[in-house]
Amino acid sequence: MMLTYMEVHLYYTIPVLGLLYWLLRPFHTSNDTLKYKFLVAIAFSTASLWDNYIVYHRAWSYCSTCVTAVIGYVPLEEYMFFIIMTLMTVAFTNFIMRWHLPSFYIKSNTSIFQTLIVRFVPITALLTITYKAWNLAIPDKPLFYGSCILWYACPVLAWLWYTAGEYMLRRPIAVLLSILVPTVYLCWVDTVAIHAGTWDISMRTSTGKFVRAHLPIEEFGFFLLINTVLVFATCALDRAFAILHLFNSHPQQPHKNTMMQDLMWAACVPDQFLDKDAVQDLGVSWDILRVASKSFYTASAVFPSDIRQDLGVLYGFCRATDDLCDNERVPLAERATQLDLSYQFVRELFGQKLSSPEAVQWETYESLPTDCLAAFRSFTRLRRVLQVEAVRELLDGYRWDLERRAVQTEDDLKRYSACVASSVGEMCTRIILAHGSTLERSEVDWTIERAREMGLVLQYTNIARDIVTDSQELGRCYLPSVWLETSELEMIAQGRATELNKRRLMALSLRLVRKADALMEVARHGIDKLPAHSQGGVRAACNVYAAIGGVLKAHSQYPTRAHVGKLERASIALLSVYNLYSHNSSEASNYVTKGKIRSFIVE
């Protein structure tokens, strides 16, 4: 059956590209736009010249009735293919690579000797192949087509290996998967088109060897090498973006020329030339996250890498300061002193304009744990996007717990929840808005207020869920005392909350859940003001946590160990990312409690 070149695109390439676009739409950032535009421009300009050259020398030909137009020696659809293939492979690579932070694979403590060997041995081999292929690329000879492919791809691979070879070796499975899947798929499309007579490979300028029927080895080599170039280029840009973000080497919205210069510098700079302390401190912050909250560590993958990195740094700071106050193995007086040092650190950091560790006199804080100091040093990079009031408010919440201050009234409940949850919601939102937001000042203030309300929603839900847990593990009651009888308060303080009637516990819990539901109706509208690339992640985090309220409402008696099941959580998160989740469509069923959780980020 005859197949036109345009039908090849309509049936086989454009639908796949559309699917990838839909999958990546919730995560798309300005960095991705720059990546697509840059790589398409390079691929289109170089491939157009190269392909015209090999068609002129009859390395391959096309059915004249199967194309809509010819520009130079090449069909219009072939020019379309340069763009579609580039977008398809880069998009698939983005999808595979995005689940781990690129900065995890920057190792500034690697020996320079190892770097020289890893870089220049493959580069020497690739340049040698280029030289020999150039000399073998004689028109009308069997090695012409294959040699042209090699001298076209290998110099680019050599350059890209110089910029990101070690980075790619540290994530081999993702790199290989990104190369092989598009290669196998495009080779299959190629066999379909050759079998249908859409185009043909000349036996005069190729070896006549086949990987499989209708797939010459040269065609397989073309797709393999070009996809390798595209994956290597994507990785090189990912590494460069990560370096620029980690070291704040460019402003938030730089001039295009400045951005390209910075990217070139970041692509070329060896890991060893980067600040080792900054890389190690970031690793410590993320180790804190990885150990303390596997769920948040996993869920954070739905955010763009630069936002995810900063949220991880914020989490490290929140967890480190939380542990300073909650570590029962440390005497109370010493914990109070450590909290005072935390206040002093915040005053010192926000008392000047630098956003780097050099802004702080670290000798003052040497008594703090090592991992805490690393988290503090990483936190300094967020100084330019956060407001000091929210950070102090978080510390006020820690002091509230450290002093075991009672929650007497509903105003106390709101104030405590604002300290430990609204403050974190505000800081998370300011981090997100710092990446691509175009809101006016009034809109920013409105969005921050909604984020603070969302913090109340999640903390109220948390308290409603953990009445028994907080009693048994902490001897604490976070419900307003005015809601309870004196005898009930005594039982909860003594860790005997289970002795309360379960219907009474349910009534108290639902009273708080109803407050959370009322706030949720207003707070969720703030998500729509966030940059599109982060809306899905925030919706997923909030909806999964808020689903606990559905668990409580679904029970007739208070469930001591209420939890949302893994499959339910995954379903809510996936639907939320693509904005398909309805708050009325699911009454969640299971959620594992993990002790006292101060907010939706510190868990």
Side-chain angles (χ1 to χ4, degrees):
M1 183 182 72
M2 186 63 68
L3 188 68
T4 69
Y5 203 158
M6 189 62 72
E7 287 175 330
V8 171
H9 288 317
L10 292 175
Y11 299 158
Y12 298 105
T13 63
I14 293 177
V16 173
L17 184 59
L19 175 62
L20 288 170
Y21 171 79
W22 183 82
L23 287 173
L24 289 167
R25 179 175 52 85
F27 317 115
H28 187 81
T29 67
S30 59
N31 283 352
D32 293 323
T33 299
L34 177 61
K35 191 187 300 182
Y36 290 134
K37 288 181 177 179
F38 178 72
L39 294 181
V40 165
I42 297 297
F44 185 84
S45 58
T46 58
S48 296
L49 296 173
W50 178 82
D51 211 20
N52 271 277
Y53 174 75
I54 64 169
V55 173
Y56 172 77
H57 287 290
R58 295 172 292 182
W60 72 276
S61 59
Y62 52 87
C63 170
S64 60
T65 60
C66 296
V67 299
T68 56
V70 177
I71 302 174
Y73 297 97
V74 176
L76 171 64
E77 293 87 345
E78 181 78 352
Y79 293 102
M80 292 173 59
F81 183 77
F82 303 153
I83 298 173
I84 292 171
M85 179 182 176
T86 301
L87 292 175
M88 185 187 299
T89 300
V90 174
F92 182 76
T93 305
N94 280 346
F95 185 76
I96 295 298
M97 296 288 179
R98 70 171 320 281
W99 309 108
H100 296 280
L101 278 179
S103 52
F104 288 169
Y105 305 97
I106 296 173
K107 307 293 184 183
S108 56
N109 56 354
T110 305
S111 73
I112 193 68
F113 177 75
Q114 175 181 315
T115 295
L116 291 174
I117 295 297
V118 169
R119 279 193 176 188
F120 289 103
V121 169
I123 288 173
T124 301
L126 287 167
L127 293 180
T128 301
I129 293 171
T130 302
Y131 173 77
K132 292 187 175 182
W134 180 265
N135 290 325
L136 290 172
I138 303 171
D140 294 325
K141 296 295 183 180
L143 296 179
F144 174 73
Y145 185 25
S147 298
C148 285
I149 294 170
L150 290 172
W151 66 248
Y152 174 57
C154 286
V156 184
L157 288 173
W159 164 249
L160 294 172
W161 188 263
Y162 174 81
T163 61
E166 286 183 291
Y167 171 87
M168 291 184 288
L169 284 176
R170 293 170 187 142
R171 48 190 325 184
I173 295 176
V175 170
L176 288 174
L177 191 62
S178 299
I179 293 170
L180 293 178
V181 171
T183 297
V184 170
Y185 180 75
L186 290 172
C187 283
W188 173 72
V189 174
D190 192 44
T191 61
V192 171
I194 292 176
H195 179 66
T198 310
W199 60 74
D200 186 54
I201 306 303
S202 171
M203 291 297 100
R204 183 172 56 183
T205 56
S206 59
T207 60
K209 296 180 180 179
F210 290 79
V211 174
R212 54 165 295 180
H214 306 295
L215 181 62
I217 193 171
E218 288 84 0
E219 285 288 90
F220 173 76
F222 171 80
F223 289 115
L224 177 64
L225 287 176
I226 300 306
N227 280 320
T228 301
V229 167
L230 293 171
V231 172
F232 280 20
T234 303
C235 289
L237 286 172
D238 286 344
R239 176 182 177 273
F241 283 130
I243 290 172
L244 291 181
H245 181 65
L246 181 59
F247 296 98
N248 295 314
S249 298
H250 62 81
Q252 289 299 304
Q253 294 181 332
H255 188 275
K256 288 185 179 179
N257 291 337
T258 303
M259 169 62 90
M260 295 310 299
Q261 291 172 3
D262 287 346
L263 280 174
M264 183 60 69
W265 168 81
C268 295
V269 65
D271 289 359
Q272 294 85 350
F273 286 22
L274 301 173
D275 183 357
K276 293 181 175 60
D277 290 336
V279 176
Q280 292 171 356
D281 289 342
L282 178 66
V284 171
S285 292
W286 274 86
D287 285 341
I288 293 173
L289 169 58
R290 190 181 291 110
V291 172
S293 179
K294 292 181 179 179
S295 59
F296 180 76
Y297 175 81
T298 302
S300 66
V302 300
F303 289 97
S305 60
D306 49 359
I307 294 177
R308 184 188 183 195
Q309 180 173 295
D310 287 350
L311 290 177
V313 169
L314 174 62
Y315 181 97
F317 174 79
C318 293
R319 173 54 66 183
T321 48
D322 187 19
D323 289 345
L324 290 179
C325 300
D326 273 0
N327 189 350
E328 298 290 344
R329 292 172 296 181
V330 177
L332 181 62
E334 185 175 341
R335 281 183 276 156
T337 300
Q338 291 176 334
L339 181 57
D340 289 338
L341 284 175
S342 300
Y343 275 105
Q344 182 175 341
F345 164 72
V346 172
R347 285 195 300 272
E348 185 175 357
L349 175 62
F350 286 88
Q352 43 72 52
K353 296 182 179 181
L354 294 178
S355 297
S356 66
E358 289 73 21
V360 177
Q361 299 296 322
W362 294 105
E363 296 82 3
T364 308
Y365 311 100
E366 289 180 348
S367 60
L368 296 176
T370 302
D371 60 345
C372 180
L373 285 174
F376 278 24
R377 285 192 294 267
S378 287
F379 184 74
T380 59
R381 67 192 314 278
L382 301 181
R383 182 248 175 272
R384 60 186 172 82
V385 300
L386 300 181
Q387 298 292 322
V388 65
E389 292 80 10
V391 187
R392 286 175 180 161
E393 190 177 27
L394 177 67
L395 298 182
D396 290 342
Y398 296 154
R399 186 177 294 282
W400 189 305
D401 275 327
L402 192 63
E403 295 174 354
R404 298 187 69 83
R405 198 182 310 166
V407 178
Q408 299 281 358
T409 65
E410 290 189 17
D411 286 342
D412 286 347
L413 171 66
K414 184 176 181 180
R415 173 58 185 156
Y416 172 75
S417 298
C419 287
V420 300
S422 294
S423 61
V424 180
E426 176 180 336
M427 288 188 283
C428 289
T429 302
R430 290 193 184 278
I431 287 172
I432 292 170
L433 292 177
H435 298 272
S437 172
T438 57
L439 298 181
E440 299 291 337
R441 176 62 182 272
S442 60
E443 293 178 301
V444 170
D445 293 342
W446 183 88
T447 305
I448 293 297
E449 191 57 35
R450 301 291 79 75
R452 293 183 62 84
E453 290 170 347
M454 185 62 77
L456 296 180
V457 170
L458 303 183
Q459 187 63 16
Y460 286 0
T461 304
N462 172 44
I463 293 172
R465 181 195 63 186
D466 286 345
I467 298 173
V468 172
T469 301
D470 288 337
S471 170
Q472 293 177 334
E473 297 184 3
L474 305 171
R476 292 280 279 159
C477 176
Y478 292 97
L479 296 170
S481 299
V482 295
W483 290 7
L484 300 160
E485 301 292 337
T486 302
S487 59
E488 293 174 330
L489 281 171
E490 290 176 353
M491 280 190 285
I492 292 175
Q494 294 169 7
R496 298 186 293 118
T498 53
E499 296 181 18
L500 270 70
N501 183 287
K502 286 200 172 185
R503 291 189 179 277
R504 173 61 171 159
L505 286 172
M506 177 59 78
L508 292 168
S509 175
L510 291 183
R511 186 174 179 179
L512 200 50
V513 168
R514 284 192 290 271
K515 282 182 169 291
D517 288 345
L519 285 168
M520 183 70 163
E521 287 302 310
V522 178
R524 61 189 177 87
H525 294 296
I527 298 175
D528 297 332
K529 291 290 186 179
L530 299 176
H533 54 60
S534 295
Q535 290 181 13
V538 174
R539 282 196 188 96
C542 294
N543 288 338
V544 167
Y545 209 92
I548 301 168
V551 175
L552 295 170
K553 287 183 286 187
H555 284 75
S556 59
Q557 293 185 340
Y558 186 77
T560 304
R561 300 296 293 178
H563 60 282
V564 176
K566 289 183 179 180
L567 290 178
E568 185 72 16
R569 274 183 287 169
S571 174
I572 294 173
L574 182 62
L575 291 172
S576 297
V577 165
Y578 291 96
N579 200 17
L580 300 174
Y581 177 72
S582 171
H583 291 276
N584 298 321
S585 66
S586 172
E587 288 295 328
S589 58
N590 297 299
Y591 191 94
V592 179
T593 63
K594 294 175 65 176
K596 182 173 133 186
I597 304 175
R598 295 189 176 277
S599 71
F600 69 92
I601 189 173
V602 183
E603 99 172 323

